[in-house]
Amino acid sequence: MSQQDPPEVKQKWSKMYTAVLIANALYIILFYFITASFA
């Protein structure tokens, strides 16, 4: 079932995926600073 991967979907997801990764990185950094301030 999961073997069907149209290349169009991968190209569409690349920008969204990078945006999600950047958002996750910012969230982790923010979380680290908040935890460090309470420690």
Side-chain angles (χ1 to χ4, degrees):
M1 272 188 168
S2 61
Q3 284 182 348
Q4 290 179 337
D5 270 329
E8 292 178 14
V9 176
K10 280 194 174 180
Q11 282 186 352
K12 264 190 183 179
W13 271 94
S14 61
K15 284 184 183 178
M16 179 78 171
Y17 205 69
T18 45
V20 169
L21 283 177
I22 290 167
N24 273 330
L26 287 174
Y27 189 77
I28 289 168
I29 291 166
L30 197 98
F31 188 76
Y32 174 76
F33 276 116
I34 291 171
T35 316
S37 68
F38 278 114

